[in-house]
Amino acid sequence: EPRPLPPVTVIAPPPISSSSEVFIPGKDFELRPHGRPADILRLIPGLVISQHQGGGKAEQYFLRGFDADHGTDVALFVDGLPVNLRSHAHGQGYADLHFLIPETVQRLDGFKGPYFVEYGDFATAGAVNFVLRDFVEENYAEASGGSFSTMRFLTLLSPTKDALKTLIAAEYYHSDGPFEHPNGYNRFNILAKAKGSLMPGMDLSAWASYYYATWHGSGEIPVRAVRAGLISRFGAIDANEGGETQRLNLNVDWTWRLDDAQTLAVRAYGSYYKLNLFNNFTFFLDDPENGDEINQRDRRLLGGIDAQYQHQSKPFGVSLISTAGFQYRIDTPRVVLGNSIQRHPTGRTQDVSIVEQSYAPFVKFDLVPVPWLRFVTGARGDIFTYNAWTRVNTTGDDTNGYVTKARPNVKANLALGPWWNTEFFGNFGTGYHSNDARAVISDPTMTALPTAMGWEFGVRTKIIPRVELSATYWWLNLASELVFVGDEGTTEARGPSHRQGFEFAMRAKLLDWLTFSGDVTSSHAEFDTGQAVALAPLVTSRADLTARFPFGLSTSFAMRYLADRWADEDRTQKARGYLLFDLVARYRYKWIEAFFSIENITNTEWREAQFYFTSRLTGEPAAGVNDIHYTAGNPRSFTGGLAVRF
C-alpha cells in the first residue's frame, strides 16, 4: 500500500501593501552582537536606537523624524503582545524590550506609518511585531564573554518538535560597560512556549516569560564638565542612577479555520510589570544642597484580548478578504514620582493610581479586482476611558476623575503591478498616540488622542537580477505634540508638527555566498512655528556585507551612520552624529560553533544619547547653565564565545 508522504510546509512572505514594509527573517540577525535585543530593530531602514542608562532602561527610539523617546510613536509587539506601556512613570508608551531573547525570534515584521488597521495606539511613525519561533531544529547552548566584564549564558531547548512543538529558552547577561562607575547590569530571562493542534483546523499556542534586571547608570553628563576636566567621558556627576525592573508575560493564541473561507483568531495576553528607576538630570539646579535625584516607580497589571474574524469571498468574481476585529486592553498602573538622595527616597511629589481601558472595533477589506491591482482599506474606532485617584500630587494639577475620549481612524493602501518585476504603492492613513492619563484628567480639554495623518508613495523593484530595490517618499502631520514630562509630573503641550522624508533601501546577492544590504533615509521635522523638532534624525544610513561560506564560516561587516542633528528647537545646538563599524564572525564545525565580534572597530569617540537642557554643577550660578548632556558610546569592544548544538 502507498505510504503517506510527509507534509510539506511552504512559507511565503505575506503580500506587501507599502514600499516601506519589511519582513526580516531570523537568519539576517543571527550575525549580530546580542547584548541588546533592540539591536535587531536597527535592520529596519531609518530606525535608530540609543541606550542612555547602563543597559537596563528602555531604549530611546528614533524613526521618521520622531524622537519617539522610549516608545511614544513606535508601537512594539512580541507575538502580538504589546510592549509599550500607557501612562508610564518615566514616559508615555515606554517600551522595554529587554525581556526578549533575540535567538527566539523567527522574524521581524516592520510597518511604517499609520496605514495598518490592526495597529492603533503609538503606531504613528510605525509598528513592529517580533514573531517568535515555535521550536528550534537543534538544541543550543552558548557561553560568551568580552570587554567590560561582559558575559552571557544562553540555552534554547525543544523537547518536542512534532505534533506538539515546545521551546524553552533561558538567558543570563552581565556587563559593566566602559564607565568608571561600573553598570553592574544583570539581566535574567526565561521563556517557555508550546504549540499544538486541538483538532484539525484548530491550533493553540501559548507562551510565558519572566524578566528581571538591575543596573547602575552614569547618566547624561554635561559637555562642560568633560571639557573642564572635572570628569572623563566615562565619568559621572551622580553615579547612583539606575534601578531594577521585572516583567512577567503570558500570551495565548487560538486559531480556528472553520473552512477554506473562514478563520477565527483570538489572542489573550496579560503582564505584571514593575520598575524602580533613579535619575538625576539637573544635578544641583533645584536642590543645591542634596541634589536633584528623582525616583520614578511604576507597578501594574495589564491585559487584553485581540479577536479577528476573516472571510474570503468572490463577489462578481473579485477576490475579497473581509476582516472584522475587536481589541480590548486594560492597564492598572500606580505611578509614583519622588525625590531621593543616593537612592534613599526623601518624599513623594506624585502618587496616582490609574485604570486606563481602550476598546477598538475595526473592519478591513482586501480587494483584488484585477491581477495587477490590490486595494486594502479599513477603519477602526478607538474609545479610551481614564480613571484616576490621587494619594499625593504637589504639581498643582488635579489628577482625580474619570474621562472618556474616542476617535475614528481610516486607512487605505493601493498596490499596482507587478510590471517588469516592479510594484508601485500609494498609502494613506490616520493614526494617533494616546496621552498620559494624568494629563488627560488634569485638563480634559486637551487633545488626548491627537491625529497623525500620513501619506506615502513608493516603488519596489527586482528589475535588476539578484537585486531588490525600494524607494519611498512619505509625509506625516501630527495635530498636537503633547509632551508629558514624566520627570516633573507635568504636561507640556506643543503645537502641530509636520514631517516628511525619503527612504531608499537595497539588497543585492553579489555572489552565491555574498550579500550586500543597505539603506539611506532622510527626514525633515518641524513644528508649525518653523522651529525644529529637537533630536529628530535628519539623515541615517546602514550597510552590511555578509559572507556565508559553504565550509561553515559566516561573517558580516556592518556600518551605521547618524548625521548631526538639531538638539534644540531654535537650531542653535547640534547633537553630534557618528559613523561606526562592526565585524562579526561565526564558524561551525559539526556540533560546535565559535563566534566573535568587534564593535566600533575604529574606536571612534561617539555619543550614544544626547539632550540639550539646563543643569547646575556645584559653584555655578543659581539659574544653571544650558548645555548638551550626553552618554558616551562604547569604545572598541570585543566579545567571543563557544556554542554547542545537540
Side-chain angles (χ1 to χ4, degrees):
E1 83 190 48
R3 279 187 315 186
L5 291 168
V8 177
T9 308
V10 179
I11 299 174
I16 281 179
S17 45
S18 83
S19 56
S20 60
E21 248 174 75
V22 286
F23 299 101
I24 300 168
K27 73 175 179 54
D28 280 21
F29 42 84
E30 70 185 13
L31 284 176
R32 295 196 70 70
H34 281 143
R36 300 198 296 216
D39 263 3
I40 301 174
L41 292 171
R42 296 193 206 276
L43 296 175
I44 296 174
L47 184 53
V48 174
I49 61 164
S50 70
Q51 171 59 249
H52 52 248
Q53 204 200 69
K57 205 163 116 177
E59 262 72 16
Q60 191 181 2
Y61 304 97
F62 301 92
L63 180 66
R64 287 210 158 172
F66 280 92
D67 164 11
D69 195 31
H70 295 294
T72 313
D73 292 283
V74 179
L76 299 172
F77 300 86
V78 175
D79 267 354
L81 172 121
V83 181
N84 305 67
L85 301 174
R86 295 170 172 168
S87 304
H88 185 272
H90 184 69
Q92 178 65 345
Y94 186 89
D96 181 358
L97 265 176
H98 290 101
F99 68 82
L100 183 69
I101 301 172
E103 286 82 354
T104 60
V105 179
Q106 180 183 321
R107 71 164 200 272
L108 180 66
D109 298 348
F111 306 95
K112 292 187 193 155
Y115 322 120
F116 304 93
V117 76
E118 298 87 344
Y119 298 109
D121 202 1
F122 309 120
T124 45
V128 178
N129 185 31
F130 294 87
V131 180
L132 298 186
R133 303 167 176 268
D134 295 326
F135 66 100
V136 283
E137 299 282 351
E138 304 165 292
N139 296 335
Y140 180 86
E142 80 164 51
S144 60
S147 309
F148 322 126
S149 307
T150 298
M151 57 179 138
R152 183 170 187 243
F153 301 97
L154 167 76
T155 185
L156 298 157
L157 307 168
S158 282
T160 57
K161 302 173 191 186
D162 302 320
L164 178 68
K165 297 176 172 59
T166 51
L167 175 66
I168 297 164
E171 173 202 48
Y172 169 73
Y173 178 84
H174 172 90
S175 182
D176 284 339
F179 302 95
E180 288 168 22
H181 303 273
N183 290 151
Y185 172 43
N186 287 304
R187 178 175 79 228
F188 173 73
N189 267 313
I190 187 159
L191 167 101
K193 180 175 181 182
K195 181 177 183 178
S197 288
L198 302 176
M199 55 187 250
M202 189 185 289
D203 293 336
L204 183 69
S205 124
W207 58 263
S209 70
Y210 176 71
Y211 152 66
Y212 177 79
T214 62
W215 71 97
H216 279 77
S218 291
E220 290 93 46
I221 53 172
V223 168
R224 63 187 187 277
V226 180
R227 286 206 179 123
L230 294 175
I231 55 172
S232 79
R233 296 181 70 233
F234 298 110
I237 304 290
D238 181 348
N240 294 294
E241 295 200 18
E244 70 172 315
T245 187
Q246 54 181 311
R247 183 164 177 166
L248 178 67
N249 299 303
L250 177 65
N251 197 54
V252 179
D253 271 299
W254 176 80
T255 311
W256 185 21
R257 286 177 297 285
L258 298 140
D259 53 40
D260 286 349
Q262 303 178 84
T263 305
L264 185 62
V266 180
R267 172 185 304 112
Y269 58 84
S271 296
Y272 168 76
Y273 170 85
K274 199 172 176 183
L275 172 74
N276 187 9
L277 182 66
F278 296 90
N279 283 107
N280 189 345
F281 302 106
T282 50
F283 312 123
F284 296 97
L285 184 66
D286 301 328
D287 186 340
E289 199 172 318
N290 300 311
D292 301 349
E293 187 178 279
I294 59 168
N295 176 211
Q296 291 164 323
R297 297 200 292 278
D298 188 303
R299 189 174 74 211
R300 72 178 66 207
L301 288 165
L302 72 103
I305 282 186
D306 188 342
Q308 289 189 28
Y309 168 74
Q310 195 179 81
H311 183 261
Q312 297 186 7
S313 57
K314 286 235 172 197
F316 309 109
V318 171
S319 167
L320 171 67
I321 302 172
S322 312
T323 307
F326 182 76
Q327 296 168 349
Y328 167 76
R329 173 172 171 182
I330 179 169
D331 282 67
T332 63
R334 178 179 175 184
V335 285
V336 177
L337 172 65
N339 298 312
S340 59
I341 303 170
Q342 294 187 2
R343 294 202 179 189
H344 297 292
T346 55
R348 288 176 297 175
T349 49
Q350 208 174 59
D351 182 348
V352 184
S353 286
I354 297 164
V355 174
E356 183 172 340
Q357 299 178 78
S358 69
Y359 310 81
F362 67 87
V363 291
K364 175 182 170 183
F365 301 101
D366 188 333
L367 197 67
V368 185
V370 284
W372 50 267
L373 188 153
R374 179 166 169 251
F375 183 60
V376 184
T377 185
R380 59 181 283 141
D382 288 275
I383 302 144
F384 278 71
T385 63
Y386 303 89
N387 196 356
W389 54 100
T390 305
R391 294 175 188 81
V392 180
N393 194 353
T394 61
T395 62
D397 293 333
D398 181 8
T399 45
N400 284 297
Y402 180 85
V403 174
T404 300
K405 297 280 185 179
R407 57 155 304 125
N409 289 297
V410 292
K411 326 269 184 176
N413 303 275
L414 184 66
L416 302 170
W419 299 290
W420 303 287
N421 282 337
T422 304
E423 287 180 285
F424 299 88
F425 300 89
N427 310 84
F428 166 79
T430 63
Y432 70 97
H433 66 235
S434 65
N435 280 313
D436 192 290
R438 290 166 287 179
V440 177
I441 284 171
S442 63
D443 182 0
T445 62
M446 283 247 185
T447 310
L449 308 168
T451 300
M453 187 178 287
W455 297 263
E456 182 171 302
F457 295 99
V459 60
R460 292 174 85 103
T461 181
K462 294 181 180 171
I463 198 162
I464 305 166
R466 299 163 71 106
V467 178
E468 291 175 50
L469 298 170
S470 73
T472 308
Y473 180 76
W474 60 271
W475 62 104
L476 189 140
N477 297 331
L478 195 58
S480 156
E481 300 244 353
L482 179 61
V483 183
F484 187 84
V485 187
D487 309 323
E488 291 168 16
T490 56
T491 313
E492 185 188 3
R494 301 306 321 253
S497 61
H498 173 74
R499 293 168 168 81
Q500 64 194 56
F502 185 77
E503 295 175 4
F504 177 77
M506 78 172 285
R507 187 180 179 92
K509 208 164 168 59
L510 304 175
L511 299 162
D512 286 346
W513 51 270
L514 188 65
T515 317
F516 171 82
S517 71
D519 57 72
V520 179
T521 75
S522 80
S523 53
H524 176 79
E526 63 179 28
F527 292 106
D528 273 17
T529 57
Q531 290 178 298
V533 175
L535 300 178
L538 299 173
V539 176
T540 76
S541 181
R542 190 192 63 84
D544 181 314
L545 194 61
T546 299
R548 294 174 188 275
F549 299 102
F551 54 85
L553 176 68
S554 301
T555 178
S556 160
F557 178 68
M559 172 281 286
R560 66 180 199 266
Y561 169 74
L562 176 65
D564 293 356
R565 57 203 203 278
W566 298 113
D568 68 330
E569 291 168 8
D570 298 325
R571 299 185 177 87
T572 62
Q573 300 290 323
K574 280 211 161 164
R576 262 189 218 166
Y578 52 76
L579 174 64
L580 300 174
F581 299 93
D582 302 329
L583 179 70
V584 182
R586 291 186 87 95
Y587 176 68
R588 178 171 180 181
Y589 178 72
K590 295 186 177 170
W591 50 270
I592 194 161
E593 209 166 357
F595 53 91
F596 87 99
S597 66
I598 312 173
E599 293 184 77
N600 190 4
I601 293 172
T602 52
N603 205 19
T604 301
E605 283 199 4
W606 62 293
R607 299 172 179 177
E608 179 153 18
Q610 298 172 80
F611 303 90
Y612 180 69
F613 56 84
T614 308
S615 65
R616 178 176 181 268
L617 302 173
T618 312
E620 288 185 335
V625 177
N626 293 338
D627 202 357
I628 295 263
H629 299 71
Y630 71 92
T631 300
N634 283 2
R636 184 188 298 126
S637 53
F638 302 87
T639 46
L642 284 175
V644 291
R645 294 180 185 263
F646 54 96

